[in-house]
Amino acid sequence: MDRSIYDAMAAQDSVHWWYVARRDVLHDLIARYIPLPTNARILEIGCGTGHNLSMLAKFGTVEGSELDPASRAIAIERFGPVIGDARLPELDRIEDGRYDMVALLDVLEHVEDDVAALKGIAKRLKPGGRILVTVPQYQWLWSGHDVANHHFKRYSKKSLRAAVAASGLEMQKLSSFNSLLFPLAAANRIAAQVRHREGSEDALPPAPVNSLFRTIFGLERHLIGRVPMPPGVSLAAILSPR
């Protein structure tokens, strides 16, 4: 990603509505649908500035991996020296069969060979382990945001299912999310395409808007996995070895 993206993440990940509400949604998805032992070992690949690690630590012992040196330093400062720099798909120095859950949160779209990446992750799972994946949805929403974030693609349910099947994994659950704000997000992305606007769109909105968006998005924690979600900006999937 562009350096400005990492800097914005570090400045906003504790307050921006998208980061805060997404953590709440994913927390409840894990709690309801991923069977983890009380002493679970968890790995987050592409942990960025470490803003998800405390949430994941509610479910067990967490390690992280992050390629960007500055972001990795922030994650280590926040969470401790359990942050490495293993690259997908090789994941060098990460032990096979070690983890009850691996989280890949808005990372797969940054990897050119997504099938090889999923195969590499699967090898690091314990028997019965799970992979939690989130990705941006709908290629027609492609905009300067994706370019600035160095995405290779956005996914449909069909294309994510195809990558999962090709990797030898099984899809346990698949759902859209960030659905309640989808019409607004889609309109914003389409406007950016029409205006040929470049760069990311992650600026922190005014406090009342930020609070409103956090509340609306956060409502999805009670819905995801329980009811079919309408189209959303993102997809969430829970995968397991066959």
Side-chain angles (χ1 to χ4, degrees):
M1 295 190 292
D2 290 354
R3 176 73 261 151
S4 61
I5 305 295
Y6 285 114
D7 292 343
M9 184 190 301
Q12 300 176 12
D13 60 27
S14 63
V15 293
H16 193 289
W17 64 271
W18 185 84
Y19 292 106
V20 176
R22 188 181 71 147
R23 284 194 292 269
D24 291 342
V25 170
L26 295 178
H27 173 277
D28 282 23
L29 187 64
I30 295 168
R32 284 199 297 268
Y33 298 111
I34 299 184
L36 293 172
T38 54
N39 59 342
R41 283 192 169 274
I42 298 167
L43 172 67
E44 184 185 5
I45 297 173
C47 67
T49 55
H51 53 274
N52 296 312
L53 296 174
S54 292
M55 180 273 287
L56 294 171
K58 295 176 182 178
F59 299 98
T61 301
V62 177
E63 300 169 31
S65 178
E66 173 55 46
L67 292 177
D68 180 72
S71 295
R72 187 168 63 251
I74 294 171
I76 291 171
E77 182 180 351
R78 287 173 165 178
F79 199 75
V82 291
I83 315 296
D85 60 353
R87 181 183 297 272
L88 286 166
E90 298 85 0
L91 296 177
D92 293 336
R93 302 183 303 281
I94 294 184
E95 181 183 346
D96 288 356
R98 179 176 174 84
Y99 299 101
D100 298 286
M101 183 178 78
V102 175
L104 199 67
L105 306 179
D106 282 34
V107 172
L108 194 61
E109 66 274 14
H110 296 272
V111 183
E112 188 168 11
D113 192 340
D114 50 5
V115 172
L118 290 172
K119 287 180 177 179
I121 294 168
K123 291 170 59 179
R124 275 67 186 183
L125 291 176
K126 292 180 180 179
R130 297 289 189 272
I131 304 172
L132 175 65
V133 176
T134 63
V135 292
Q137 188 172 201
Y138 298 127
Q139 189 65 28
W140 59 266
L141 284 180
W142 186 272
S143 70
H145 172 87
D146 298 283
V147 175
N149 281 274
H150 297 182
H151 293 171
F152 283 98
K153 66 179 75 174
R154 299 178 69 91
Y155 285 84
S156 64
K157 289 184 177 180
K158 181 179 179 180
S159 65
L160 185 56
R161 284 193 183 103
V164 170
S167 69
L169 291 161
E170 184 174 341
M171 186 85 74
Q172 295 288 331
K173 190 165 287 291
L174 175 63
S175 177
S176 297
F177 74 114
N178 201 354
S179 299
L180 299 179
L181 292 169
F182 179 74
L184 184 61
N188 185 56
R189 294 292 174 87
I190 292 170
Q193 294 168 4
V194 170
R195 297 170 187 167
H196 303 288
R197 194 167 67 212
E198 299 180 355
S200 184
E201 303 153 2
D202 298 327
L204 184 67
V209 176
N210 190 60
S211 179
L212 176 63
F213 285 2
R214 175 182 175 179
T215 299
I216 294 172
F217 186 9
L219 291 173
E220 296 187 19
R221 67 187 301 177
H222 306 295
L223 304 174
I224 188 169
R226 287 175 163 163
V227 299
M229 296 292 288
V233 181
S234 300
L235 291 168
I238 297 172
L239 317 178
S240 67
R242 289 178 179 170

